[in-house]
Amino acid sequence: MDKKNALRAGAVAAGTTLMMLLMSSPALALTRDDGDDPGSGLSVVETLGLYVVAPIALFAVIAGLVMVLDRSKKQHQG
Protein backbone atom coordinates (compact mmCIF):
# COMPACT_ATOMS: atom_id res chain seq x y z
CA MET A 1 0.00 0.00 0.00
CA ASP A 2 1.47 3.32 -0.96
CA LYS A 3 1.55 6.41 1.21
CA LYS A 4 -1.55 8.01 -0.33
CA ASN A 5 -3.74 4.96 0.26
CA ALA A 6 -2.43 4.58 3.80
CA LEU A 7 -3.22 8.22 4.53
CA ARG A 8 -6.71 7.82 3.09
CA ALA A 9 -7.34 4.65 5.14
CA GLY A 10 -6.14 6.39 8.30
CA ALA A 11 -8.39 9.37 7.66
CA VAL A 12 -11.41 7.13 7.09
CA ALA A 13 -10.67 5.13 10.25
CA ALA A 14 -10.18 8.29 12.32
CA GLY A 15 -13.37 9.85 10.94
CA THR A 16 -15.38 6.71 11.61
CA THR A 17 -14.03 6.46 15.15
CA LEU A 18 -14.81 10.11 15.82
CA MET A 19 -18.37 9.75 14.54
CA MET A 20 -18.92 6.62 16.65
CA LEU A 21 -17.68 8.42 19.76
CA LEU A 22 -19.89 11.43 19.12
CA MET A 23 -22.99 9.33 18.43
CA SER A 24 -22.60 7.17 21.55
CA SER A 25 -22.46 9.97 24.08
CA PRO A 26 -22.61 8.81 27.70
CA ALA A 27 -24.87 11.77 28.47
CA LEU A 28 -27.68 9.86 26.76
CA ALA A 29 -27.44 7.21 29.48
CA LEU A 30 -28.45 9.71 32.17
CA THR A 31 -32.04 9.99 31.02
CA ARG A 32 -34.32 7.20 32.23
CA ASP A 33 -36.65 5.42 29.85
CA ASP A 34 -40.29 4.72 30.63
CA GLY A 35 -40.57 1.47 32.54
CA ASP A 36 -36.90 1.52 33.53
CA ASP A 37 -36.59 -0.20 36.90
CA PRO A 38 -32.94 -1.04 37.67
CA GLY A 39 -32.26 -3.45 40.50
CA SER A 40 -29.80 -3.07 43.31
CA GLY A 41 -26.11 -3.20 42.46
CA LEU A 42 -23.82 -6.15 43.04
CA SER A 43 -21.26 -6.18 45.82
CA VAL A 44 -17.58 -6.78 45.06
CA VAL A 45 -17.82 -10.40 46.23
CA GLU A 46 -20.90 -11.06 44.10
CA THR A 47 -19.25 -9.47 41.07
CA LEU A 48 -16.08 -11.52 41.45
CA GLY A 49 -18.10 -14.69 41.98
CA LEU A 50 -20.25 -14.09 38.93
CA TYR A 51 -17.62 -12.90 36.47
CA VAL A 52 -14.44 -14.67 37.72
CA VAL A 53 -15.18 -17.73 39.86
CA ALA A 54 -18.21 -19.03 37.95
CA PRO A 55 -16.52 -19.08 34.50
CA ILE A 56 -13.39 -20.73 35.94
CA ALA A 57 -15.50 -23.35 37.70
CA LEU A 58 -17.53 -23.99 34.54
CA PHE A 59 -14.33 -24.37 32.53
CA ALA A 60 -12.92 -26.80 35.11
CA VAL A 61 -16.09 -28.93 35.07
CA ILE A 62 -16.15 -29.11 31.27
CA ALA A 63 -12.41 -29.86 31.07
CA GLY A 64 -12.79 -32.56 33.74
CA LEU A 65 -15.67 -34.21 31.89
CA VAL A 66 -13.71 -34.17 28.63
CA MET A 67 -10.66 -35.73 30.29
CA VAL A 68 -12.71 -38.44 32.04
CA LEU A 69 -14.64 -39.35 28.90
CA ASP A 70 -11.48 -39.32 26.78
CA ARG A 71 -9.70 -41.73 29.19
CA SER A 72 -12.62 -44.14 29.21
CA LYS A 73 -12.57 -44.39 25.39
CA LYS A 74 -8.80 -45.04 25.32
CA GLN A 75 -9.09 -47.83 27.92
CA HIS A 76 -11.78 -49.66 25.94
CA GLN A 77 -9.84 -49.43 22.66
CA GLY A 78 -6.47 -50.47 24.06
PDB file of all heavy atoms in Angstrom, residues 2 9 12 14-15 17-19 25 27 29 31 38 40 43-46 49-50 56 58 60 65 69-70 73 78:
ATOM      1  N   ASP A   2       0.631   2.121  -0.895  1.00  0.00           N
ATOM      2  CA  ASP A   2       1.466   3.324  -0.962  1.00  0.00           C
ATOM      3  C   ASP A   2       1.019   4.349   0.085  1.00  0.00           C
ATOM      4  O   ASP A   2       0.043   4.161   0.799  1.00  0.00           O
ATOM      5  CB  ASP A   2       1.466   3.916  -2.368  1.00  0.00           C
ATOM      6  CG  ASP A   2       0.076   4.325  -2.827  1.00  0.00           C
ATOM      7  OD1 ASP A   2      -0.887   3.989  -2.130  1.00  0.00           O
ATOM      8  OD2 ASP A   2      -0.038   4.991  -3.875  1.00  0.00           O
ATOM      9  N   ALA A   9      -6.787   5.651   4.218  1.00  0.00           N
ATOM     10  CA  ALA A   9      -7.341   4.652   5.136  1.00  0.00           C
ATOM     11  C   ALA A   9      -7.305   5.159   6.569  1.00  0.00           C
ATOM     12  O   ALA A   9      -8.259   4.954   7.342  1.00  0.00           O
ATOM     13  CB  ALA A   9      -6.572   3.345   5.011  1.00  0.00           C
ATOM     14  N   VAL A  12     -10.089   7.764   7.008  1.00  0.00           N
ATOM     15  CA  VAL A  12     -11.413   7.128   7.095  1.00  0.00           C
ATOM     16  C   VAL A  12     -11.603   6.474   8.454  1.00  0.00           C
ATOM     17  O   VAL A  12     -12.662   6.593   9.083  1.00  0.00           O
ATOM     18  CB  VAL A  12     -11.595   6.103   5.947  1.00  0.00           C
ATOM     19  CG1 VAL A  12     -12.823   5.241   6.175  1.00  0.00           C
ATOM     20  CG2 VAL A  12     -11.678   6.823   4.611  1.00  0.00           C
ATOM     21  N   ALA A  14     -10.073   7.255  11.294  1.00  0.00           N
ATOM     22  CA  ALA A  14     -10.184   8.292  12.316  1.00  0.00           C
ATOM     23  C   ALA A  14     -11.559   8.960  12.267  1.00  0.00           C
ATOM     24  O   ALA A  14     -12.174   9.219  13.309  1.00  0.00           O
ATOM     25  CB  ALA A  14      -9.085   9.327  12.128  1.00  0.00           C
ATOM     26  N   GLY A  15     -12.049   9.239  11.072  1.00  0.00           N
ATOM     27  CA  GLY A  15     -13.371   9.849  10.939  1.00  0.00           C
ATOM     28  C   GLY A  15     -14.467   8.938  11.450  1.00  0.00           C
ATOM     29  O   GLY A  15     -15.396   9.386  12.143  1.00  0.00           O
ATOM     30  N   THR A  17     -14.161   6.541  13.697  1.00  0.00           N
ATOM     31  CA  THR A  17     -14.034   6.462  15.153  1.00  0.00           C
ATOM     32  C   THR A  17     -14.603   7.709  15.819  1.00  0.00           C
ATOM     33  O   THR A  17     -15.321   7.615  16.817  1.00  0.00           O
ATOM     34  CB  THR A  17     -12.560   6.275  15.548  1.00  0.00           C
ATOM     35  OG1 THR A  17     -12.050   5.115  14.898  1.00  0.00           O
ATOM     36  CG2 THR A  17     -12.401   6.126  17.040  1.00  0.00           C
ATOM     37  N   LEU A  18     -14.306   8.866  15.260  1.00  0.00           N
ATOM     38  CA  LEU A  18     -14.815  10.111  15.824  1.00  0.00           C
ATOM     39  C   LEU A  18     -16.340  10.162  15.770  1.00  0.00           C
ATOM     40  O   LEU A  18     -16.992  10.543  16.748  1.00  0.00           O
ATOM     41  CB  LEU A  18     -14.216  11.300  15.074  1.00  0.00           C
ATOM     42  CG  LEU A  18     -14.612  12.676  15.578  1.00  0.00           C
ATOM     43  CD1 LEU A  18     -14.120  12.869  17.007  1.00  0.00           C
ATOM     44  CD2 LEU A  18     -14.058  13.748  14.671  1.00  0.00           C
ATOM     45  N   MET A  19     -16.908   9.746  14.661  1.00  0.00           N
ATOM     46  CA  MET A  19     -18.371   9.750  14.537  1.00  0.00           C
ATOM     47  C   MET A  19     -19.004   8.770  15.517  1.00  0.00           C
ATOM     48  O   MET A  19     -20.048   9.054  16.111  1.00  0.00           O
ATOM     49  CB  MET A  19     -18.785   9.409  13.107  1.00  0.00           C
ATOM     50  CG  MET A  19     -18.510  10.520  12.118  1.00  0.00           C
ATOM     51  SD  MET A  19     -19.298  12.075  12.564  1.00  0.00           S
ATOM     52  CE  MET A  19     -21.001  11.657  12.416  1.00  0.00           C
ATOM     53  N   SER A  25     -22.773   9.096  22.951  1.00  0.00           N
ATOM     54  CA  SER A  25     -22.456   9.967  24.075  1.00  0.00           C
ATOM     55  C   SER A  25     -22.966   9.363  25.378  1.00  0.00           C
ATOM     56  O   SER A  25     -24.112   8.919  25.462  1.00  0.00           O
ATOM     57  CB  SER A  25     -23.103  11.329  23.849  1.00  0.00           C
ATOM     58  OG  SER A  25     -22.928  12.128  24.976  1.00  0.00           O
ATOM     59  N   ALA A  27     -23.829  10.917  27.900  1.00  0.00           N
ATOM     60  CA  ALA A  27     -24.871  11.767  28.470  1.00  0.00           C
ATOM     61  C   ALA A  27     -26.261  11.217  28.162  1.00  0.00           C
ATOM     62  O   ALA A  27     -27.212  11.487  28.889  1.00  0.00           O
ATOM     63  CB  ALA A  27     -24.739  13.187  27.921  1.00  0.00           C
ATOM     64  N   ALA A  29     -27.134   8.249  28.511  1.00  0.00           N
ATOM     65  CA  ALA A  29     -27.440   7.207  29.485  1.00  0.00           C
ATOM     66  C   ALA A  29     -28.010   7.786  30.768  1.00  0.00           C
ATOM     67  O   ALA A  29     -28.485   7.042  31.616  1.00  0.00           O
ATOM     68  CB  ALA A  29     -26.182   6.397  29.785  1.00  0.00           C
ATOM     69  N   THR A  31     -30.587   9.873  31.050  1.00  0.00           N
ATOM     70  CA  THR A  31     -32.044   9.986  31.025  1.00  0.00           C
ATOM     71  C   THR A  31     -32.657   8.601  31.159  1.00  0.00           C
ATOM     72  O   THR A  31     -32.221   7.650  30.533  1.00  0.00           O
ATOM     73  CB  THR A  31     -32.523  10.634  29.716  1.00  0.00           C
ATOM     74  OG1 THR A  31     -32.070   9.854  28.625  1.00  0.00           O
ATOM     75  CG2 THR A  31     -31.973  12.047  29.586  1.00  0.00           C
ATOM     76  N   PRO A  38     -34.181  -0.311  37.392  1.00  0.00           N
ATOM     77  CA  PRO A  38     -32.944  -1.044  37.675  1.00  0.00           C
ATOM     78  C   PRO A  38     -32.968  -1.654  39.076  1.00  0.00           C
ATOM     79  O   PRO A  38     -33.543  -1.093  40.009  1.00  0.00           O
ATOM     80  CB  PRO A  38     -31.863   0.026  37.568  1.00  0.00           C
ATOM     81  CG  PRO A  38     -32.558   1.296  37.854  1.00  0.00           C
ATOM     82  CD  PRO A  38     -33.959   1.125  37.343  1.00  0.00           C
ATOM     83  N   SER A  40     -30.912  -3.504  42.470  1.00  0.00           N
ATOM     84  CA  SER A  40     -29.802  -3.065  43.314  1.00  0.00           C
ATOM     85  C   SER A  40     -28.487  -3.561  42.718  1.00  0.00           C
ATOM     86  O   SER A  40     -28.440  -4.561  42.008  1.00  0.00           O
ATOM     87  CB  SER A  40     -29.983  -3.623  44.729  1.00  0.00           C
ATOM     88  OG  SER A  40     -29.985  -5.041  44.684  1.00  0.00           O
ATOM     89  N   SER A  43     -22.422  -6.469  44.981  1.00  0.00           N
ATOM     90  CA  SER A  43     -21.262  -6.175  45.816  1.00  0.00           C
ATOM     91  C   SER A  43     -20.006  -6.676  45.107  1.00  0.00           C
ATOM     92  O   SER A  43     -20.067  -7.363  44.085  1.00  0.00           O
ATOM     93  CB  SER A  43     -21.407  -6.862  47.177  1.00  0.00           C
ATOM     94  OG  SER A  43     -21.285  -8.267  47.018  1.00  0.00           O
ATOM     95  N   VAL A  44     -18.850  -6.356  45.659  1.00  0.00           N
ATOM     96  CA  VAL A  44     -17.581  -6.776  45.062  1.00  0.00           C
ATOM     97  C   VAL A  44     -17.484  -8.298  45.059  1.00  0.00           C
ATOM     98  O   VAL A  44     -17.067  -8.908  44.063  1.00  0.00           O
ATOM     99  CB  VAL A  44     -16.393  -6.153  45.827  1.00  0.00           C
ATOM    100  CG1 VAL A  44     -15.076  -6.693  45.317  1.00  0.00           C
ATOM    101  CG2 VAL A  44     -16.430  -4.645  45.709  1.00  0.00           C
ATOM    102  N   VAL A  45     -17.895  -8.932  46.137  1.00  0.00           N
ATOM    103  CA  VAL A  45     -17.820 -10.396  46.230  1.00  0.00           C
ATOM    104  C   VAL A  45     -18.758 -11.041  45.212  1.00  0.00           C
ATOM    105  O   VAL A  45     -18.381 -12.014  44.542  1.00  0.00           O
ATOM    106  CB  VAL A  45     -18.152 -10.854  47.669  1.00  0.00           C
ATOM    107  CG1 VAL A  45     -18.210 -12.368  47.761  1.00  0.00           C
ATOM    108  CG2 VAL A  45     -17.150 -10.298  48.652  1.00  0.00           C
ATOM    109  N   GLU A  46     -19.958 -10.513  45.087  1.00  0.00           N
ATOM    110  CA  GLU A  46     -20.900 -11.056  44.102  1.00  0.00           C
ATOM    111  C   GLU A  46     -20.390 -10.880  42.678  1.00  0.00           C
ATOM    112  O   GLU A  46     -20.519 -11.772  41.856  1.00  0.00           O
ATOM    113  CB  GLU A  46     -22.262 -10.373  44.253  1.00  0.00           C
ATOM    114  CG  GLU A  46     -23.000 -10.732  45.525  1.00  0.00           C
ATOM    115  CD  GLU A  46     -24.239  -9.887  45.724  1.00  0.00           C
ATOM    116  OE1 GLU A  46     -24.283  -8.738  45.235  1.00  0.00           O
ATOM    117  OE2 GLU A  46     -25.166 -10.380  46.385  1.00  0.00           O
ATOM    118  N   GLY A  49     -17.548 -13.331  42.093  1.00  0.00           N
ATOM    119  CA  GLY A  49     -18.097 -14.686  41.983  1.00  0.00           C
ATOM    120  C   GLY A  49     -18.766 -14.918  40.649  1.00  0.00           C
ATOM    121  O   GLY A  49     -18.609 -15.980  40.030  1.00  0.00           O
ATOM    122  N   LEU A  50     -19.502 -13.926  40.180  1.00  0.00           N
ATOM    123  CA  LEU A  50     -20.253 -14.085  38.934  1.00  0.00           C
ATOM    124  C   LEU A  50     -19.374 -14.023  37.704  1.00  0.00           C
ATOM    125  O   LEU A  50     -19.544 -14.795  36.762  1.00  0.00           O
ATOM    126  CB  LEU A  50     -21.332 -12.994  38.861  1.00  0.00           C
ATOM    127  CG  LEU A  50     -22.295 -13.051  37.685  1.00  0.00           C
ATOM    128  CD1 LEU A  50     -23.095 -14.344  37.721  1.00  0.00           C
ATOM    129  CD2 LEU A  50     -23.222 -11.858  37.706  1.00  0.00           C
ATOM    130  N   ILE A  56     -14.504 -19.800  35.691  1.00  0.00           N
ATOM    131  CA  ILE A  56     -13.390 -20.728  35.935  1.00  0.00           C
ATOM    132  C   ILE A  56     -13.925 -22.085  36.379  1.00  0.00           C
ATOM    133  O   ILE A  56     -13.444 -23.137  35.934  1.00  0.00           O
ATOM    134  CB  ILE A  56     -12.416 -20.132  36.976  1.00  0.00           C
ATOM    135  CG1 ILE A  56     -11.687 -18.933  36.369  1.00  0.00           C
ATOM    136  CG2 ILE A  56     -11.418 -21.175  37.459  1.00  0.00           C
ATOM    137  CD1 ILE A  56     -10.830 -18.166  37.354  1.00  0.00           C
ATOM    138  N   LEU A  58     -16.886 -23.367  35.706  1.00  0.00           N
ATOM    139  CA  LEU A  58     -17.531 -23.993  34.544  1.00  0.00           C
ATOM    140  C   LEU A  58     -16.498 -24.583  33.601  1.00  0.00           C
ATOM    141  O   LEU A  58     -16.656 -25.706  33.099  1.00  0.00           O
ATOM    142  CB  LEU A  58     -18.389 -22.957  33.817  1.00  0.00           C
ATOM    143  CG  LEU A  58     -19.267 -23.454  32.682  1.00  0.00           C
ATOM    144  CD1 LEU A  58     -20.274 -24.464  33.198  1.00  0.00           C
ATOM    145  CD2 LEU A  58     -19.974 -22.293  32.023  1.00  0.00           C
ATOM    146  N   ALA A  60     -13.513 -25.634  34.443  1.00  0.00           N
ATOM    147  CA  ALA A  60     -12.925 -26.802  35.109  1.00  0.00           C
ATOM    148  C   ALA A  60     -13.840 -28.014  35.013  1.00  0.00           C
ATOM    149  O   ALA A  60     -13.376 -29.140  34.769  1.00  0.00           O
ATOM    150  CB  ALA A  60     -12.626 -26.468  36.570  1.00  0.00           C
ATOM    151  N   LEU A  65     -14.819 -33.236  32.591  1.00  0.00           N
ATOM    152  CA  LEU A  65     -15.665 -34.205  31.886  1.00  0.00           C
ATOM    153  C   LEU A  65     -15.009 -34.686  30.595  1.00  0.00           C
ATOM    154  O   LEU A  65     -15.067 -35.874  30.269  1.00  0.00           O
ATOM    155  CB  LEU A  65     -17.028 -33.578  31.575  1.00  0.00           C
ATOM    156  CG  LEU A  65     -17.965 -33.401  32.761  1.00  0.00           C
ATOM    157  CD1 LEU A  65     -19.195 -32.606  32.347  1.00  0.00           C
ATOM    158  CD2 LEU A  65     -18.360 -34.747  33.319  1.00  0.00           C
ATOM    159  N   LEU A  69     -14.057 -38.618  30.020  1.00  0.00           N
ATOM    160  CA  LEU A  69     -14.644 -39.348  28.899  1.00  0.00           C
ATOM    161  C   LEU A  69     -13.583 -39.761  27.885  1.00  0.00           C
ATOM    162  O   LEU A  69     -13.697 -40.818  27.270  1.00  0.00           O
ATOM    163  CB  LEU A  69     -15.726 -38.496  28.240  1.00  0.00           C
ATOM    164  CG  LEU A  69     -16.958 -38.234  29.106  1.00  0.00           C
ATOM    165  CD1 LEU A  69     -17.905 -37.290  28.403  1.00  0.00           C
ATOM    166  CD2 LEU A  69     -17.643 -39.530  29.451  1.00  0.00           C
ATOM    167  N   ASP A  70     -12.548 -38.979  27.717  1.00  0.00           N
ATOM    168  CA  ASP A  70     -11.476 -39.321  26.782  1.00  0.00           C
ATOM    169  C   ASP A  70     -10.682 -40.526  27.322  1.00  0.00           C
ATOM    170  O   ASP A  70     -10.314 -41.404  26.561  1.00  0.00           O
ATOM    171  CB  ASP A  70     -10.558 -38.130  26.588  1.00  0.00           C
ATOM    172  CG  ASP A  70      -9.567 -38.362  25.475  1.00  0.00           C
ATOM    173  OD1 ASP A  70      -9.990 -38.825  24.403  1.00  0.00           O
ATOM    174  OD2 ASP A  70      -8.369 -38.077  25.671  1.00  0.00           O
ATOM    175  N   LYS A  73     -12.612 -43.888  26.766  1.00  0.00           N
ATOM    176  CA  LYS A  73     -12.571 -44.392  25.395  1.00  0.00           C
ATOM    177  C   LYS A  73     -11.226 -45.038  25.085  1.00  0.00           C
ATOM    178  O   LYS A  73     -11.171 -46.049  24.409  1.00  0.00           O
ATOM    179  CB  LYS A  73     -12.844 -43.254  24.406  1.00  0.00           C
ATOM    180  CG  LYS A  73     -14.278 -42.784  24.387  1.00  0.00           C
ATOM    181  CD  LYS A  73     -14.485 -41.710  23.360  1.00  0.00           C
ATOM    182  CE  LYS A  73     -15.911 -41.232  23.372  1.00  0.00           C
ATOM    183  NZ  LYS A  73     -16.140 -40.152  22.399  1.00  0.00           N
ATOM    184  N   GLY A  78      -7.787 -49.890  23.876  1.00  0.00           N
ATOM    185  CA  GLY A  78      -6.471 -50.472  24.064  1.00  0.00           C
ATOM    186  C   GLY A  78      -6.555 -51.831  24.631  1.00  0.00           C
ATOM    187  O   GLY A  78      -5.991 -52.822  24.504  1.00  0.00           O
TER     188      GLY A  78
END
